């Protein structure tokens, strides 16, 4: 019946469907829905920039306005991926610019962003509004200057944990005087000085500014002036917070902060004199988010005092110098807490002030709404994990990192299998899990058995045999990303069910037992996968024999085949792809095309492939007109 | 050699640094890639590439911990012919090669090396501050050492030796290194100020570097010294407390880089002095030692010495714990800044009285809340702005607006006021003559003096004018 509605009506209805998954489902209903959905999709998420080409993206979603792209594998965050691995955004921007789509928002994670890219971006899209860069590198303040100067309607410039090469601060003064549209400005990750005058002027002419995160070089008196001009801020990141509590500046600041009633999120304090913290107490009562994970200067009872004022906190990021005692304060104060991240203040040190299982148990007992955890700790016990699982069965993300990666339960000296087992068993909604500590195959048995919703799993220094990986691959039906390092998983585990990898976004294995021959077998059997081998020992892959273990293997499904931008200078990369057997100009068979088409949905959201695998055929049929014409009959017969 | 901005400071880099960086790589080819053509021959001639390669293969890069990264990057950045991308790929290689299974073997070495180098950023920063700030003291040379001129010359020779003259010293130096391990210890105090010298008079540095040919051992050693700079400061500081005669000397060495002198051997110092160094700061010495031995190893391909007594530190595995490298780096920077506060159990405040000529009252400041001279000076400026303002106005400077940060400094520079401090021994010194950490340790009182009154206390200033004249 819905088919009798005019397209415009359907399109209007579809506009209310924002979730990628739902939109994917909508596009599978029938041909016309597919078409309407295709033209009306504004937001696209691509979890791996090498999984599809920009041309294909635009061909399917010509109306895209907001694009999210991810580049390097997650382990790149921890220096496990060579710097020159790839993940360049330039080709994407180039194609998007050439096709003249009206891009308004670009969100990039772990990509290499050159200044040229930013400049091209700034000049190609008239209505460009929002740029979010997370863990990106390759650009400098010059690129930012181009964005500032050319994007007249810029609403959001959000730079999170990027490594920016150039530290000059001139870019802030490049915002034209007419730029008044800023809603969010975050440059906390920049190292260098900024032009404070320009910053003040920019803030004072941006009446809609809601989020402002400053870097280290912005001193307290500037902060005070900024706050006087922008009392409407909701999210504030403080750069330097150093002053004499008795001075005039301090009084002024107190006054300024008291005016900012709407601040709900506070972060930064990159430089801090703990003595002065009392000035921010007045706004603590409203805070829902507090990120002190870059503020080693706040510790001891200054920290606990501060937290005692934050009764409404939902999200808390903090350093482990808070200690178990401090976590006890969190537990008794923050009853609304949903997300807790405890980072190590000295990841490579002896971890003297690291937190332990005690703190976690306290928090789990005090904060029943806790559903997301990242916890770097000194030690963990099975008993504690079992208690935590009992106290907080709502975990969606549970990432536990014991600083000593193979440490057993210090009380019983047993592996932590039972503890993690309890977590996966009682947390039915668990989507992301990271393991650490001494673990045997047993824990993977539990994971495979219970973690039905698990989408991402990180494993390090665990398991005894191939069985561990097999339990996971066989058990976790919704698994999308699996990353493994330093585990004894070999070819047997890798090759057990190669078809599984097509349902996943990616698999990373480094320092495992997988051999070159094993990787080749995967590549040959699965034409839709790219298998990349990163060999760090200096030997070229071609010198290796089949039985040689590979240092790192990264495999992902893709529609574009070999990527062209892999580093060539050192031949440490081998991209085996299944089309070894067929020539490039070979006319694809119908079967190939179906396979191919089902992957096209990567551009929508790769969830689709896992959750809707039964609809592949349908999706494929609908995808291209001519093909669909032929196959629609088949479908009806079904 | 070139001057490049890093971390907001200008840093001078020499072939020495480049060579040191090369210690991270195992391919001799890279040397040629990294170093500009002119330098290649020089490098080639001065150290044996084979032994260099051997060394690196033995150590498999693991003598460097991730904590060094910042330092390494900093130095790499200085090499003009290196693109950033290239640097990154080098670093990637080096990180990856620190593979976990092999780690145990080199664990101790690593720990030895890593701890001083953690301070490196600070060291760099501090010296640059000293070099660049226009605060009175900075440009001054080692005035305090003047009385000891003779001695100085001796030690200067030592310094000279380190920097080396083309061709002449290499073999001798080597034997020294081998025979006199203690000689190494001796050098420690000499080195810390070298960097500040760089900052102060880049021109003279140029000369030094131009004629700079060294065996690789020296280089390596120099590198670690530079890295351990802040660290070395500490030990220096300590035995300053112990024996009065040494520290001024030390200051002197750094300050007279250009002095050429006769050939004096490193062991010029009495063994007694060495012993006292050891006693004063055994930990430091121990940690230092590996550097020295490392340097030797380069030539001798012998790492047995590295197994010297070292606190067993955790083996470092690449990528573990899984903390974003951005976070690690950022925290490393900020924790350094907070070290003054955090280093001791509890943030012990360190209040000192501040007086100012002509001001009716004293103020107290907590030195631990500042981390650089710049911060202190701007804080003092604010505290006493009413008075300087008056002065300023009366002297025709633009005093209408609120004082800018540089005002006091301008005043100081313009010899209106100088900031002086009373050290542990009760002597009044010019602020800025020693690295910040040491200043914090020794400062008992602060006084903002009329510069006319301070002339007596300011031998460095006088000295400077002498030099200029």
């Amino acid at each position: 019946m819905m088919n009798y509605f005019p397209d415009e009506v359907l399109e209007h209805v579809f506009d209310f469907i924002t979730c990628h998954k739902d939109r994917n489902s909508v596009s599978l209903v029938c041909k016309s829905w597919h078409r309407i959905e295709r033209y009306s999709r504004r937001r696209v998420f691509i979890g791996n920039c090498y999984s599809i080409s920009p041309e294909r993206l635009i061909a399917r979603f010509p109306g895209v306005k907001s694009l999210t792209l991810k580049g390097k594998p997650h382990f790149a965050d921890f220096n496990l991926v060579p710097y020159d691995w790839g993940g360049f955004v330039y080709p994407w921007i180039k194609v998007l610019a050439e096709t003249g789509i009206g891009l308004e928002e670009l969100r990039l994670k772990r990509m290499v962003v050159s200044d040229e890219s930013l400049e091209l971006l700034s000049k190609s899209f008239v209505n460009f509004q929002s740029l979010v860069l997370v863990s990106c590198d390759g650009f400098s303040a010059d690129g930012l200057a181009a964005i500032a100067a050319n994007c007249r309607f810029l609403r959001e410039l959000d730079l999170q944990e990027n490594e920016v090469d150039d530290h000059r601060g001139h870019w802030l003064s490049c915002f034209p005087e007419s730029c008044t549209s800023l809603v969010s400005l975050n440059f906390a990750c920049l190292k260098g000085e900024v032009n404070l005058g320009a910053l003040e002027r920019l803030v004072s002419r941006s009446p809609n500014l809601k989020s402002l995160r400053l870097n280290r070089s912005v001193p307290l008196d500037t902060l005070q002036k900024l706050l006087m001009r922008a009392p409407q801020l909701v999210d504030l990141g403080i750069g330097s917070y150093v002053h004499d509590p008795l001075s005039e500046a301090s009084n002024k600041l107190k006054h300024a902060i008291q005016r900012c009633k709407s601040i709900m999120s506070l972060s930064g304090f990159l430089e801090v004199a703990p003595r002065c913290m009392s000035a921010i107490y007045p706004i603590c009562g409203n805070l829902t988010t507090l990120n002190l994970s870059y503020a080693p200067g706040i510790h001891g009872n200054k920290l606990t005092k501060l937290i005692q004022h934050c009764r409404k906190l939902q999200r808390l990021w903090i350093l482990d110098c808070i200690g178990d005692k401090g976590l006890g304060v969190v537990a008794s104060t923050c009853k609304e807490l949903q997300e807790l991240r405890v980072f190590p203040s000295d990841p490579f040190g002896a971890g003297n002030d690291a937190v332990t299982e005690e703190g976690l148990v306290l928090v789990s007992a005090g904060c029943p709404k806790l559903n997301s955890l990242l916890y770097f700790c000194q030690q963990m016990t099975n008993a504690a994990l079992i208690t935590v699982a009992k106290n907080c069965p709502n975990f969606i993300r549970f990432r536990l990192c014991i600083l000593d990666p193979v440490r057993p339960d210090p009380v019983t000296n047993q592996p932590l299998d039972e503890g993690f087992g309890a977590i996966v068993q009682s947390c039915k909604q668990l989507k992301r899990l990271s393991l650490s500590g001494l673990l045997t195959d047993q824990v993977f048995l539990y994971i495979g058995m219970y973690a039905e919703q698990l989408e991402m799993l990180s494993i390090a220094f665990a398991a005894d045999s191939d069985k561990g990986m097999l339990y996971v691959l066989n058990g976790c039906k919704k698994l999308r990303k699996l990353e493994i390092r330093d585990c004894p998983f070999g070819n047997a585990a890798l090759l057990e069910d190669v078809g599984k990898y097509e349902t996943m976004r990616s698999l990373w294995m480094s320092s495992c037992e997988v051999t070159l021959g094993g990787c080749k077998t995967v590549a040959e059997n699965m034409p839709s996968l790219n298998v990349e081998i990163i060999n760090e020992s200096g030997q070229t892959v071609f010198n290796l024999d089949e039985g040689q273990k590979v240092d790192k293997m990264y495999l992902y499904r893709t529609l574009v085949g070999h990527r062209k931008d892999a580093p060539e200078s050192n031949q440490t990369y081998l991209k085996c792809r299944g089309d070894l057997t067929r020539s490039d100009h070979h006319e694809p068979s119908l079967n190939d095309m179906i396979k191919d088409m089902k992957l096209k949905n990567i551009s929508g959201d790769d969830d689709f492939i896992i959750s809707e695998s039964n609809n592949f055929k349908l999706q494929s049929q609908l995808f291209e007109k001519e093909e669909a014409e032929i196959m629609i009959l088949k479908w009806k017969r079904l | 050699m070139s001057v490049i901005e890093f971390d907001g400071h200008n840093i001078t880099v020499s072939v020495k640094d480049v060579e040191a960086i090369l210690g991270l790589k195992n391919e001799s080819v890279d040397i040629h890639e990294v170093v500009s053509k002119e330098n290649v021959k020089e490098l080639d001639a001065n150290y044996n590439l084979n032994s260099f390669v051997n060394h690196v293969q033995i150590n498999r890069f693991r003598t460097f911990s991730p904590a060094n990264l910042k330092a390494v990057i900093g130095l790499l950045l200085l090499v003009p012919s290196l693109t950033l991308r290239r640097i990154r790929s080098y670093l990637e290689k080096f990180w990856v090669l620190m593979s976990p299974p092999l780690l145990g073997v080199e664990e101790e070495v690593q720990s030895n090396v890593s701890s001083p180098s953690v301070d490196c950023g600070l060291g760099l920063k501090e010296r640059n501050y000293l070099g660049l700030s226009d605060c009175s003291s900075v440009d001054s040379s080692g005035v305090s050492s003047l009385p000891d001129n003779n001695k100085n010359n001796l030690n200067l020779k030592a310094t000279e030796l380190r920097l080396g003259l083309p061709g002449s010293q290499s073999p001798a130096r080597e034997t020294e290194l081998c025979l006199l391990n203690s000689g190494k210890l001796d050098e420690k105090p000499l080195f810390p100020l070298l960097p500040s010298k760089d900052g102060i008079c880049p021109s003279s540095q140029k000369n030094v570097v131009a004629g700079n040919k060294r065996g690789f051992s020296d280089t390596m050693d120099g590198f670690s010294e530079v890295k351990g700079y802040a660290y070395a400061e500490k030990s220096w500081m300590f035995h300053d407390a112990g024996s009065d005669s040494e520290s001024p000397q030390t200051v002197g060495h750094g300050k007279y880089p250009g002095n050429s002198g006769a050939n004096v051997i490193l062991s010029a110092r009495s063994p007694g002095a060495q012993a006292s160094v050891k006693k004063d700061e055994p930990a430091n010495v121990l940690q230092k030692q590996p550097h020295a031995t490392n340097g030797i190893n380069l030539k001798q391909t012998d790492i047995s010495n590295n197994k010297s007594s070292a606190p067993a530190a955790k083996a470092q595995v690449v990528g573990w714990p899984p903390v974003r490298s951005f976070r690690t780096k950022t925290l490393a920077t900020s924790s350094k800044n907070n070290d003054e506060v955090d280093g001791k159990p509890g943030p012990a405040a360190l209040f000192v009285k501040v007086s100012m000529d002509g001001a009716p009252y004293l103020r107290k400041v907590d030195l631990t809340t500042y981390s650089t001279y710049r911060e202190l000076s701007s804080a003092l400026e604010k505290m006493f702005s009413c008075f300087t303002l008056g002065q300023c106005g009366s002297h025709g400077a633009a005093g209408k607006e609120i004082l800018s940060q540089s005002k006091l400094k301008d005043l100081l520079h313009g010899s209106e006021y100088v900031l002086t401090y009373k050290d542990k021994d009760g002597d009044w010194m010019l602020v800025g003559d020693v690295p910040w950490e040491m200043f914090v340790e020794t400062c008992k009182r602060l006084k903002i003096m009329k510069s006319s009154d301070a002339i007596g206390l300011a031998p460095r200033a006088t000295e400077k004018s002498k030099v200029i004249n």
Side-chain angles (χ1 to χ4, degrees):
Chain A
M1 186 190 78
M2 291 281 277
N3 282 334
Y4 299 110
F5 285 127
D7 287 1
E8 292 75 16
V9 174
L10 281 176
E11 195 178 321
H12 184 67
V13 173
F14 289 173
D15 279 347
F16 292 96
I17 305 170
T18 49
C19 169
H20 292 304
K21 270 187 195 173
D22 293 341
R23 290 204 72 120
N24 283 339
S25 308
V26 162
S27 72
L28 290 172
V29 171
C30 66
K31 227 171 88 184
S32 75
W33 280 39
H34 180 272
R35 193 189 64 246
I36 294 163
E37 197 281 329
R38 182 163 89 86
Y39 284 112
S40 64
R41 175 99 63 129
R42 300 286 173 259
R43 308 177 64 87
V44 177
F45 169 86
I46 297 174
N48 174 1
C49 67
Y50 289 118
S51 64
I52 192 169
S53 66
E55 290 86 355
R56 217 150 184 174
L57 163 74
I58 294 163
R60 172 152 177 190
F61 301 116
V64 61
K65 291 204 180 315
S66 162
L67 176 63
T68 306
L69 265 177
K70 291 189 181 183
K72 298 180 190 179
H74 176 238
F75 272 177
D77 278 349
F78 319 133
N79 289 306
L80 288 175
V81 178
Y83 168 70
D84 54 1
W85 179 82
F88 304 102
V89 77
Y90 188 78
W92 282 85
I93 294 179
K94 191 160 164 277
V95 172
L96 295 178
E98 280 163 3
T99 47
I101 62 155
L103 194 69
E104 290 175 1
E105 180 174 346
L106 186 62
R107 299 170 165 263
L108 305 175
K109 190 167 185 182
R110 269 180 238 114
M111 295 200 77
V112 178
V113 184
S114 61
D115 283 340
E116 293 117 294
S117 319
L118 292 179
E119 202 176 332
L120 182 61
L121 178 71
S122 71
K123 290 184 176 158
S124 305
F125 306 104
V126 186
N127 287 317
F128 193 78
Q129 292 175 356
S130 179
L131 178 67
V132 181
L133 304 177
V134 183
S135 293
C136 293
D137 54 19
F139 64 100
S140 75
D142 296 337
L144 298 177
I147 295 286
N150 301 328
C151 300
R152 312 178 60 92
F153 305 106
L154 196 69
R155 290 161 54 87
E156 184 175 25
L157 180 61
D158 190 356
L159 309 173
Q160 301 174 24
E161 308 199 325
N162 300 290
E163 305 215 2
V164 183
D165 298 336
D166 189 330
H167 299 156
R168 280 181 296 160
H170 65 289
W171 63 278
L172 259 180
S173 41
C174 295
F175 283 98
E177 289 301 319
S178 59
C179 174
T180 56
S181 51
L182 266 187
V183 173
S184 173
L185 178 66
N186 172 7
F187 58 94
C189 68
L190 299 192
K191 303 272 190 313
E193 304 281 317
V194 296
N195 183 335
L196 298 176
L199 177 63
E200 274 177 50
R201 286 193 300 277
L202 180 64
V203 167
S204 53
R205 67 172 183 265
S206 304
N208 298 320
L209 194 67
K210 291 281 184 280
S211 171
L212 177 65
R213 298 193 190 172
L214 308 168
N215 77 349
R216 196 182 288 271
S217 73
V218 179
L220 195 92
D221 50 340
T222 307
L223 172 71
Q224 179 258 329
K225 285 179 208 158
L226 294 176
L227 290 181
M228 292 305 281
R229 283 173 189 179
Q232 77 279 7
L233 282 180
V234 174
D235 172 19
L236 174 65
I238 292 178
S240 173
Y241 193 78
V242 180
H243 66 109
D244 178 354
L246 302 174
S247 71
E248 198 190 341
S250 155
N251 287 331
K252 273 188 183 168
L253 181 79
K254 261 187 195 165
H255 178 63
I257 283 183
Q258 272 164 359
R259 293 180 64 216
C260 299
K261 298 267 184 244
S262 48
I263 291 184
M264 296 173 73
S265 165
L266 196 59
S267 59
F269 297 99
L270 307 173
E271 298 279 340
V272 67
R275 235 177 302 285
C276 330
M277 292 313 290
S278 59
I280 63 161
Y281 290 164
I283 54 165
C284 285
N286 292 328
L287 292 184
T288 56
T289 300
L290 179 63
N291 179 353
L292 297 179
S293 67
Y294 282 110
I298 307 175
H299 50 77
N301 49 2
K302 305 288 177 208
L303 179 56
T304 43
K305 247 188 212 164
L306 177 66
I307 288 188
Q308 275 167 338
H309 286 83
C310 306
R311 301 199 158 271
K312 288 190 189 163
L313 275 193
Q314 293 171 9
R315 185 176 300 129
L316 175 63
W317 293 20
I318 205 147
L319 287 169
D320 62 5
C321 56
I322 189 173
D324 289 331
K325 241 189 213 169
L327 288 177
V329 175
V330 172
S332 57
T333 309
C334 314
K335 293 296 172 193
E336 302 294 316
L337 196 68
Q338 293 172 18
E339 177 178 328
L340 174 67
R341 297 194 182 189
V342 180
F343 294 93
S345 38
D346 180 12
F348 304 110
N352 294 327
D353 38 28
V355 292
T356 69
E357 76 279 2
E358 246 174 78
L360 183 58
V361 169
L362 287 174
V363 170
S364 73
C367 313
K369 294 186 180 173
L370 194 67
N371 63 25
S372 176
L373 179 78
L374 172 63
Y375 197 74
F376 286 85
C377 60
Q378 186 80 338
Q379 60 178 42
M380 188 50 62
T381 64
N382 280 317
L385 284 175
I386 291 166
T387 315
V388 169
K390 216 179 279 169
N391 289 337
C392 299
N394 301 320
F395 276 115
I396 296 169
R397 285 174 290 272
F398 191 87
R399 296 197 280 159
L400 185 71
C401 172
I402 299 165
L403 292 174
D404 175 358
V406 287
R407 183 154 188 188
D409 181 333
V411 178
T412 61
N413 224 16
Q414 294 294 307
L416 291 169
D417 299 337
E418 297 305 318
F420 280 105
I423 296 287
V424 286
Q425 192 174 359
S426 53
C427 305
K428 300 282 181 220
Q429 302 304 312
L430 199 65
K431 286 186 174 173
R432 182 164 181 187
L433 176 65
S434 300
L435 307 170
S436 63
L438 184 64
L439 295 166
T440 70
D441 287 342
Q442 187 66 22
V443 75
F444 298 102
L445 179 65
Y446 292 134
I447 291 172
M449 200 186 298
Y450 297 114
E452 287 171 2
Q453 303 296 322
L454 197 65
E455 292 177 0
M456 181 168 177
L457 177 63
S458 305
I459 309 170
F461 306 99
D464 317 305
S465 67
D466 287 330
K467 272 192 205 158
M469 185 166 162
L470 289 175
Y471 289 138
V472 171
L473 289 177
N474 292 334
C476 304
K477 295 291 176 221
K478 293 199 174 175
L479 196 65
R480 296 201 294 168
K481 283 173 282 178
L482 177 58
E483 45 184 32
I484 303 167
R485 59 167 296 178
D486 297 275
C487 294
F489 303 147
N491 288 346
L494 179 71
L495 299 175
E496 167 84 5
D497 178 13
V498 287
K500 170 85 172 170
Y501 305 132
E502 208 171 61
T503 71
M504 293 169 55
R505 188 192 295 168
S506 65
L507 166 68
W508 170 278
M509 294 178 85
S510 59
S511 306
C512 295
E513 304 289 321
V514 173
T515 69
L516 185 65
C519 295
K520 274 190 176 159
T521 311
V522 178
E524 281 158 18
N525 288 318
M526 299 301 295
S528 55
L529 299 179
N530 268 5
V531 182
E532 295 192 7
I533 292 160
I534 304 166
N535 212 13
E536 300 284 350
S537 61
Q539 291 164 286
T540 58
V541 207
F542 307 106
N543 295 341
L544 300 176
D545 61 76
E546 300 262 315
Q548 184 97 21
K549 274 190 246 173
V550 298
D551 289 346
K552 295 168 187 180
M553 184 210 65
Y554 180 53
L555 71 81
Y556 51 89
R557 61 176 176 200
T558 179
L559 290 179
V560 274
H562 296 252
R563 61 189 180 99
K564 311 282 188 299
D565 59 358
E568 286 157 13
S569 53
N570 47 357
Q571 296 182 311
T572 51
Y573 298 79
L574 169 68
K575 291 169 304 302
C576 320
R577 209 172 166 245
D579 48 358
L580 297 171
T581 49
R582 27 169 211 171
S583 83
D584 280 345
H585 305 291
H586 169 74
E587 197 65 30
S589 70
L590 188 61
N591 207 18
D592 282 343
M593 271 180 112
I594 290 174
K595 221 173 202 177
D596 202 37
M597 277 183 273
K598 74 186 177 191
L599 283 157
K600 285 180 183 174
N601 246 334
I602 290 170
S603 61
D605 182 349
D606 42 13
D607 270 348
F608 162 75
I609 298 215
I610 301 141
S611 52
E612 309 281 337
S613 53
N614 293 334
N615 289 331
F616 277 158
K617 204 176 270 177
L618 172 59
Q619 170 68 15
S620 325
Q621 289 159 2
L622 289 169
F623 194 82
E624 272 177 51
K625 221 177 175 184
E626 304 85 344
E627 207 59 45
E629 291 295 347
I630 302 163
M631 300 185 68
I632 195 111
L633 300 168
K634 241 188 201 171
W635 172 55
K636 275 181 180 162
R637 248 194 352 245
L638 294 172
Chain B
M1 166 171 133
S2 57
V3 180
I4 292 193
E5 202 183 335
F6 170 59
D7 227 355
H9 299 284
N10 289 322
I11 293 181
T12 324
V13 69
S14 63
V15 177
K16 178 185 74 182
D17 296 324
V18 176
E19 287 172 313
I21 293 157
L22 293 174
L24 300 176
K25 292 187 291 295
N26 62 353
E27 297 142 336
S28 53
V29 182
D30 288 336
I31 295 162
H32 301 275
E33 285 172 6
V34 171
V35 183
S36 62
K37 289 250 165 72
E38 301 86 83
N39 293 330
V40 169
K41 276 183 194 166
E42 190 180 317
L43 286 165
D44 242 315
N46 280 285
Y47 60 82
N48 180 345
L49 288 183
N50 286 333
S51 69
F52 166 57
V53 171
N54 280 341
H55 163 76
V56 177
Q57 277 168 357
I58 287 166
N59 284 310
R60 297 276 292 170
F61 300 158
R62 280 181 307 277
T63 47
F64 290 86
S65 70
N68 285 349
L69 191 68
K70 193 176 169 190
V72 174
I73 294 173
L75 289 170
L76 284 170
L77 276 174
L78 308 177
V79 183
S81 59
L82 263 185
T83 63
L84 199 80
R85 195 164 157 196
R86 184 129 206 122
I87 292 173
R88 300 252 182 157
S89 67
Y90 286 139
L91 292 172
E92 291 292 351
K93 273 190 204 164
F94 130 63
W95 274 53
V96 168
L97 279 171
M98 295 174 23
S99 53
L102 293 164
L103 263 169
V105 186
E106 294 289 332
E107 190 178 324
E108 285 160 9
V109 180
Q110 205 180 66
S111 66
N112 282 342
V113 179
S114 67
S115 68
S117 53
V118 171
D119 292 338
C120 141
L122 183 58
L124 287 177
K125 218 175 173 176
E126 201 56 59
R127 92 167 118 110
N128 277 295
Y129 175 71
L130 284 173
L132 295 174
S133 105
D134 36 358
C135 248
S136 52
S137 51
V138 174
D139 25 9
S140 58
S141 316
V143 192
S144 46
S145 64
L146 272 180
D148 291 314
N149 228 339
N150 279 341
K151 260 193 167 180
N152 267 340
N153 266 339
L154 296 189
N155 288 309
L156 279 172
K157 298 308 145 41
T159 324
E160 271 299 288
L161 263 179
R162 271 184 114 0
L163 293 167
L165 290 168
S168 62
Q169 100 300 1
S170 231
R173 170 101 184 140
E174 237 177 283
T175 38
E176 270 166 41
L177 286 174
C178 306
L179 296 176
L180 302 170
N181 211 351
S182 54
K184 276 297 189 184
L185 295 178
D186 243 40
E187 283 175 18
K188 245 178 301 153
L190 304 189
F191 227 82
L193 280 171
L194 275 179
S196 58
K197 162 204 72 190
D198 290 359
I200 291 166
C201 41
S203 56
S204 74
Q205 169 74 357
K206 229 172 245 167
N207 300 333
V208 174
V209 174
N212 167 23
K213 294 195 180 179
R214 271 161 282 110
F216 191 76
S217 59
D218 297 10
T219 309
M220 197 55 201
D221 200 14
F223 179 54
S224 11
E225 291 285 359
V226 172
K227 298 183 92 185
Y229 171 55
Y231 187 77
E233 253 169 50
K234 251 181 227 160
S235 78
W236 169 41
M237 191 156 72
F238 274 108
H239 70 87
D240 171 37
S243 63
D244 289 338
S245 64
E246 288 212 7
S247 82
Q249 264 181 29
T250 318
V251 176
H253 306 318
K255 308 285 170 147
Y256 287 96
N259 268 12
S260 60
N263 297 319
V264 175
I265 307 179
L266 283 173
S267 53
R269 272 196 202 179
S270 71
Q274 291 162 27
S276 76
V277 174
K278 271 187 186 164
K279 262 178 228 157
D280 287 343
E281 260 313 280
N284 285 352
V285 173
L286 283 181
Q287 297 217 334
K288 265 304 171 208
Q289 207 159 7
H291 286 303
T293 45
N294 254 348
I296 296 169
N297 289 340
L298 287 179
K299 289 270 167 153
Q300 300 188 342
T301 326
D302 164 19
I303 55 165
S304 60
N305 281 343
N306 280 335
K307 309 285 180 195
S308 62
S309 57
K314 263 190 186 172
Q316 286 180 1
V317 181
V318 177
W320 193 271
V323 183
R324 272 190 194 172
S325 49
F326 177 85
R327 171 174 291 278
T328 317
K329 279 177 222 166
T330 311
L331 274 185
T333 340
S334 50
S335 67
K336 237 170 270 156
N337 293 337
N338 286 288
D339 265 354
E340 285 105 36
V341 187
D342 294 344
K344 296 138 206 162
L350 216 161
F351 283 102
V352 295
K353 285 180 190 167
V354 191
S355 60
M356 177 170 172
D357 285 351
Y361 53 75
L362 301 181
R363 290 288 299 264
K364 269 188 178 184
V365 294
D366 178 4
L367 289 181
T368 57
T369 53
Y370 309 107
S371 54
T372 60
Y373 284 114
R374 201 186 297 269
E375 286 176 22
L376 174 66
S377 118
S378 69
L380 291 178
E381 172 218 316
K382 273 172 200 149
M383 280 180 204
F384 293 95
S385 56
C386 44
F387 309 106
T388 48
L389 194 65
Q391 295 293 341
C392 218
S394 72
H395 285 264
K400 313 271 169 358
E401 298 168 5
I402 296 167
L403 279 181
S404 71
Q405 186 174 326
S406 55
K407 275 284 168 52
L408 182 65
K409 267 185 271 156
D410 288 344
L411 285 173
L412 293 176
H413 203 64
S415 302
E416 187 58 46
Y417 281 96
V418 288
L419 187 53
T420 60
Y421 73 100
K422 190 158 98 177
D423 69 10
K424 273 179 180 161
D425 304 316
D427 297 323
W428 284 95
M429 313 284 277
L430 279 177
V431 169
D433 66 340
V434 293
W436 173 259
E437 289 72 24
M438 183 177 175
F439 167 74
V440 172
E441 294 273 325
T442 54
C443 176
K444 293 290 159 227
R445 275 191 78 157
L446 280 165
K447 191 173 189 180
I448 304 169
M449 295 177 97
K450 285 220 170 87
S451 59
S452 51
D453 297 335
I455 282 172
L457 317 168
R460 301 158 119 266
T462 355
E463 171 57 27
K464 183 192 161 201
S465 59
K466 260 188 213 164
V467 171
I468 290 167
N469 294 337

